Amino acid sequence: MDFNFTEEQEMLKTSARDFLEEECAEKLIRDVEAGDQGYSPDLWKKIAELGWLGLVFPEQYEGAGMNVIDLAVLYEEFGRAMFPGPYLSTVILGGMTILEAGTEEQKSEILPRIARGEQIVAMALTEPESSWGMQAWDPEGVTVAAVADGDDYIIDGIKLFVHDAVCADTFLVVARTKSGADPADGITLFLVDAKSAGISITPLRTVAGDMQCEVIFDKVKVSRQNIVGALNGGWAPLDKSMKVGAVMLCAQMLGAGEKLLELSVDYARTRIQFDMPIGINQYIQEHCVFLLRDVNGARWSTYLAAWKIAEGEPCDFEVAVAKAWGSDAHERACWRAHQVHGGVGYTVNDGVLPLYSRRGKTYQLYLGDTAYHKEKIAKELEGWPAPQVPRGKPLGLWEGIPENWIPEWWDTYDKG
Amino acid sequence: MDFNFTEEQEMLKTSARDFLEEECAEKLIRDVEAGDQGYSPDLWKKIAELGWLGLVFPEQYEGAGMNVIDLAVLYEEFGRAMFPGPYLSTVILGGMTILEAGTEEQKSEILPRIARGEQIVAMALTEPESSWGMQAWDPEGVTVAAVADGDDYIIDGIKLFVHDAVCADTFLVVARTKSGADPADGITLFLVDAKSAGISITPLRTVAGDMQCEVIFDKVKVSRQNIVGALNGGWAPLDKSMKVGAVMLCAQMLGAGEKLLELSVDYARTRIQFDMPIGINQYIQEHCVFLLRDVNGARWSTYLAAWKIAEGEPCDFEVAVAKAWGSDAHERACWRAHQVHGGVGYTVNDGVLPLYSRRGKTYQLYLGDTAYHKEKIAKELEGWPAPQVPRGKPLGLWEGIPENWIPEWWDTYDKG
Amino acid sequence: MDFRFTEEQEKLRTEIDDFFLDNLPSDYRPRGQRGQTMEQYKFWMDLQRKAGAKGYLTPGWSKESGGLGLSDMEQGVVMEETSYWGAAWPGSQGIRVCGPPLHVFGTEEQKSKFLPGIAKGEDIWYQAFTEPDAGSDEANVSLRAVEDGDNYILNGQKTFITAPGQGDYLYTLARTQDVTPKHRGISLFLIDAHSPGVSYSALPTLGVFTVDIFFDNVKVPKDRLLGELNRGFYHAMVTFEFERSTTGGGAGARRGMEELIDFYRNEKPNGKPLLENPAVRDLLADRAIEMELVWLQGWFAAWHFSQRDKLGSPPPEAGGLHNKVVSADRAKQLIDAMGLYGQLRRGSKYCKYEGRAAGSWEVSRSTHPAGTIEVNKIVLGGRGLGLPRIPAKFNKEIRAAIEERG
Amino acid sequence: MDFRFTEEQEKLRTEIDDFFLDNLPSDYRPRGQRGQTMEQYKFWMDLQRKAGAKGYLTPGWSKESGGLGLSDMEQGVVMEETSYWGAAWPGSQGIRVCGPPLHVFGTEEQKSKFLPGIAKGEDIWYQAFTEPDAGSDEANVSLRAVEDGDNYILNGQKTFITAPGQGDYLYTLARTQDVTPKHRGISLFLIDAHSPGVSYSALPTLGVFTVDIFFDNVKVPKDRLLGELNRGFYHAMVTFEFERSTTGGGAGARRGMEELIDFYRNEKPNGKPLLENPAVRDLLADRAIEMELVWLQGWFAAWHFSQRDKLGSPPPEAGGLHNKVVSADRAKQLIDAMGLYGQLRRGSKYCKYEGRAAGSWEVSRSTHPAGTIEVNKIVLGGRGLGLPRIPAKFNKEIRAAIEERG
């Protein structure tokens, strides 16, 4: 057991914080929100130069060869800085899926372009029916079909809540190519050029102010060569990337939560009302104390999940725990920070609090909310073995013993 | 609208409080709990003399002819004093059901005996399967059959969680005499002499320390004359009494809650720690404030439900609201009172707090817990009509208006 | 005990209900000053004038003041129906907040000048109390009013002032004396909103639309002082009493319930009405319970107030606090039960239930209007339950000790 | 970062696990000192001695003291497995609470006299700190120790003293000097439980079994003073540090989860396993999350402690507080999901899951052991987060002002 970050991780953290404080200030975030691209091309170029876009790609694809724990360190800073942009879409759901399942050709063509900041990918999974809830992130929810047509496939249907669709060069479309008893069997991933005929994109207005879209695929033709992974076998690699994505959302919430805690404690200590710092009130202290709890709980559950992924160990339980806790904890953390700040966080334009709060809603919902991941946890628990039975002879000591208040040894004890 | 209690009600309240403070002190409650009858015959006789056992019966049956609101006033005091005994079983579930549906002969024989304290009735409804949850208090849960056998019926099966079975002279057994699409159709109520052959009773050990039992009916013979109400039509009158019972449990929780609030505020003001009354702590104040909320919410929802019953108006919604809120609020109130009292409420034998807390669990579960009554509320809401549509011409003013932060009038306002 | 309304009250209820049924368009949606269009605003101003002409805005005020002279309980009925229909009166603050103390403390001249404009729905008032350093600490007013001949000259700032429409008058607390305790040097002024030197800037919040108001040598005639000089804080307390009591909450919640149930009934993902979803049923039941309790406690308060000569001041009541505390939970339940759709704002493609899930969630972030949850709890624990608190006289000393300690 | 245990640690874990697998009966149920029968008590005393003989009770203590001389992290492994098996050591307080400060402050004589008895599982200690007026306010000790030749004479009372078995020694705070601030006049004593003048009475609580202890001219030799005279309160703080840190919580919760899942899997009302019930799944998921977090934070704390020379004191941590706060919710979920069966006590006919739903619900009424929730919050806000608090020196004055006001 070792809870230390490596020196490299510490360096990444520090340099990311410094860079983002400078380059990703509140104004930029608000400008991106007000704009229609969902990201800042300028900032995107800068982080490409820093090597962040290729952070987890192997060096042969112009990456830095770092792992998912390192990525989580970066994401913590993304969360703190509310970094806007298609990183999760492009690098994780796009790039890491291609890295996992793509052909050598796909990898060597696309990954370096992603790393250089020259290609943006958006993953299109969720659909109108599935967006209501539990099936959004499960293969059951995928009904948009891709039908073979010679060397091509024709994709037809609507994908909803597609992040970063407007700025994407390429869609990674999750489509159904076969139906059967196992819903995961029959899902195929297609790389679709965003400029293909038949694609139309409508941004949705979300409370987070991020860039989620409706993408209509109207008989869009895509070459068989653009399949990522096996025909009908797309779910497994996608699921793997989505798990990484979920953990990165946790890291993002962790970073945001840390900042909210700092802001709240600072405000509690310095804001004067009734001639006293408001932090003198236990009602205010309580918010800070529980903020601490919510943030602390998020930290190691996030890094444990990241570590499990990095080690290639089974991680379903850990990812679900991290995202289930992280999402709820972040919701509470935002609320508590608002309560500490009273009217200050109540304004729309002034201060970062409402921004954190609104962004938080996307982090919570994206790739599965608390209810979704709690059900995943319950599924894991179903598989737990029965408790171990000791090997000693049965003694009959614990059968039908009534629940008395006073232990029997008391009767024989010398009570003076 | 009038929230006043009548003069009679105020008198009943005062005299009940005085009487119970004297006659139903902590020692008696603990003695009853330690005993094996579940009540105090002496106290039972005294309240018969006070006329409380016939309170809601008409004068012709030696009753006082008072109504359900008056009964709630008495029950509030029962709750405050933690009055133990088979009142709900005997007078409400037994007596009021007979009053509602019994023959004139049954009424004139039994009701005066109840009023005089000479007959104790226990209602046997819940069964092993239904006791798990939602069907406990619904006709679906009734499977114990009564089969016709000449002029008799033979009842065979197990009833569980039968309150006050050990001291009962008579059981009001809820049995199935017909199966069909409507589970309520086919339920018949039987008055069964507790000394009938084939009945065996085993008290269960509950956290409340009250007297709930398993009652096995092993081919128990009961005369057709002992049916209360119509054959197959027993559910309706029973349901009516159970609603009264549920509201009385609410009143009981209200009275207990009022006492818990008093105890807590008093303790917060007088207990000194760190040279200060502990009530100086906002953490302690908060408990008191929410106790106030829980008790206040219980008051008028209880009396509204009682009033609806007394007026003979539809009351399903109001009863469910009162019991759903009341049960949860009481659970919270007990917990908060414990928190205020710290270690004091933690002891088993000393002080009334653990007693209130444990008794509370029965009040919460009996005749439907919060989840049960919330589902009843949801059922009622399903039946709500669509919102009224105004008669004015459509103006198209509210269609697709985006959610902007700044109203348009602001543009034309003279901002100085 | 009687939970029935009188026949007259029921008749009045029908009358008010008919007023709204006749005057609201069939496609009416009862919500939202936020993001109001000009057309919506004008609609409400028109309807407000119509209601004012009938005395429905201020049913409890005397006929001379533009009201109907109704009793407390009947006022409650009018308020209840008005809330049911979610009438977004731009003049709401004049009606509910400024009017009552004007009745109590105003001169005859002030009353005849100001009350009819409020009652008729012509004038819009802002209650301008909050300042950057006088939020919860309402007595820490530093907007300064200095005597100057027949006028007071005001300098300073107000903030977070709810602006439900184009304001005509400001109901304002200003400091007229430097004194300890601070609340003994504050006075109330009735100020023309467009007096020279008054200026505004937008301060939109997650909830209602609010503004900053700046006072730069604003001249206010002495006859615009309300009540006694330096007694303004105490007068204003009367305002708070009114602001915090209502019979409308339950009815407003009822209309919201009806609409929500209707939405859940008709929205059928995968062919199954959302109304069958257990999380939805749970949410609805919770809201129904709270609606019922708000309704009961609102009427209990109104009834108690109507009997104030006999019953005195009302017992402490924490229902409002409870609802504030659970509002975040309810908003979360609502948005959670909508899956990914929950995050969509009104006006977005695919937005469900008019984006109210996202809207109410966002508003629930902050529960400070009419006092934060924390201040509510402090007031209830202290004034309500008589629990001890640290006398304010120690504050300065304690603060010094804390600062010394670092 | 590495969440893996070393091979040696895994070997140690297996060794401990085997100890329990071999020595526990197959019908073992890992719970409950409450209502313990004599047979159960004797079983635990025997097993405690067996574990003590192997050094498993105090793995971190030196071999001379009866331990294994293991590192902090390895101690954590032993504690984890011990907790997994829910070992109800009657000597737990000696092991966890009294032993550590004895190591730090004891004389060589004291150490060699007392430590082996604890380590071998022979002696049972009570930590006797709490008094009727010294609960949260731990410094308000009034058990009085007066010097008398070679002895101290003790008079007074302790209360709520957890008694997991037949006590041999008392680890006690007593007042040796009247002084302000109060915590500067308190000393620690190691007292024979059966000294003349010591008497006990039962004080069973909703949670553990506790006792009152009365001191009537109890003579305690001077060599039974632990550490410095009048420094006992500060020495005891070390005890609190130990008492409040653990790696066992997660593992104990894990065994509980396994048993609970097993129960839900096998109980099938109406033919459907309870494990499919949504409320049950919700409860299990909540508990699983908390179990995982407790496990992680327990190990983080152990790791941080093991690196204390490099890392200094640990960052503030509110996980324990969180678990206290939610314990009432979890207990409520558990009892609620059992319908009417939830209320049945252990030993009752029809009782399910050994009555643990009722048992844990009852215990959850009160969360005061190791400090109430309120005190936890105060400590975390103040010492943890550095938020301001009212300096204690004002308390008396404030109290006087409150009392004057009435």
Side-chain angles (χ1 to χ4, degrees), chain A residues 77-94:
Chain A
E77 296 308 313
F78 279 177
R80 187 183 182 89
M82 287 187 279
F83 171 81
Y87 195 102
L88 206 145
S89 298
T90 302
V91 177
I92 300 174
L93 301 176

Side-chain angles (χ1 to χ4, degrees), chain B residues 128-129 131-132 160 205 207 212 214 271 273-275 280 287 328 331 338-339 343 346 348 357-358, chain D residues 136-137 160 204-206 270 340-341 343 345-346 348-350 361-362 365-368 374 395 399:
Chain B
E129 283 286 285
S131 295
W132 275 106
L160 220 55
R205 301 185 65 246
V207 74
Q212 300 183 49
E214 174 204 43
R271 166 73 171 171
Q273 289 265 284
F274 299 103
D275 288 324
I280 200 96
H287 290 308
D328 253 14
E331 169 81 10
H338 272 283
Q339 300 308 307
Y346 194 52
V348 174
S357 201
R358 295 193 288 107
Chain D
S136 303
D137 186 1
F160 283 117
T205 72
L206 297 181
N270 298 309
L340 295 172
Y341 292 107
Q343 63 189 321
R345 282 195 194 281
R346 197 168 78 196
S348 173
K349 192 169 179 185
Y350 287 100
W361 173 82
E362 199 168 6
R365 297 301 79 199
S366 181
T367 40
H368 91 277
E374 288 67 36
N395 288 7
R399 181 179 171 187

Side-chain angles (χ1 to χ4, degrees), chain D residues 352-368:
Chain D
K352 310 284 176 188
Y353 191 49
E354 299 160 46
R356 288 158 80 177
S360 68
W361 173 82
E362 199 168 6
V363 173
S364 79
R365 297 301 79 199
S366 181
T367 40
H368 91 277

Side-chain angles (χ1 to χ4, degrees), chain D residues 29-161:
Chain D
R29 295 287 175 280
R31 79 205 92 280
Q33 288 143 300
R34 191 165 122 189
Q36 221 176 21
T37 64
M38 204 60 204
E39 289 70 29
Q40 287 176 328
Y41 178 65
K42 282 182 178 154
F43 172 84
W44 283 116
M45 280 304 288
D46 284 350
L47 194 59
Q48 174 173 294
R49 284 189 194 96
K50 277 190 203 169
K54 289 180 175 279
Y56 294 164
L57 298 178
T58 55
W61 297 10
S62 67
K63 296 203 172 160
E64 309 85 78
S65 309
L68 297 172
L70 295 180
S71 76
D72 298 314
M73 295 298 275
E74 281 156 339
Q75 275 182 70
V77 169
V78 177
M79 200 190 279
E80 186 158 29
E81 288 309 299
T82 307
S83 296
Y84 174 85
W85 286 105
W89 299 145
S92 57
Q93 299 199 58
I95 296 165
R96 296 194 47 216
V97 182
C98 318
L102 247 167
H103 271 92
V104 181
F105 304 109
T107 61
E108 284 311 311
E109 246 184 306
Q110 287 172 336
K111 287 197 265 189
S112 62
K113 176 167 173 54
F114 295 118
L115 291 178
I118 295 174
K120 295 297 163 203
E122 297 296 338
D123 296 340
I124 294 180
W125 286 71
Y126 294 170
Q127 175 195 16
F129 282 12
T130 306
E131 297 187 10
D133 286 310
S136 303
D137 186 1
E138 285 150 348
N140 200 28
V141 168
S142 54
L143 171 66
R144 190 161 291 276
V146 178
E147 226 179 313
D148 179 32
D150 284 345
N151 297 305
Y152 286 89
I153 308 297
L154 273 63
N155 278 290
Q157 185 194 345
K158 295 287 175 182
T159 190
F160 283 117
I161 305 308

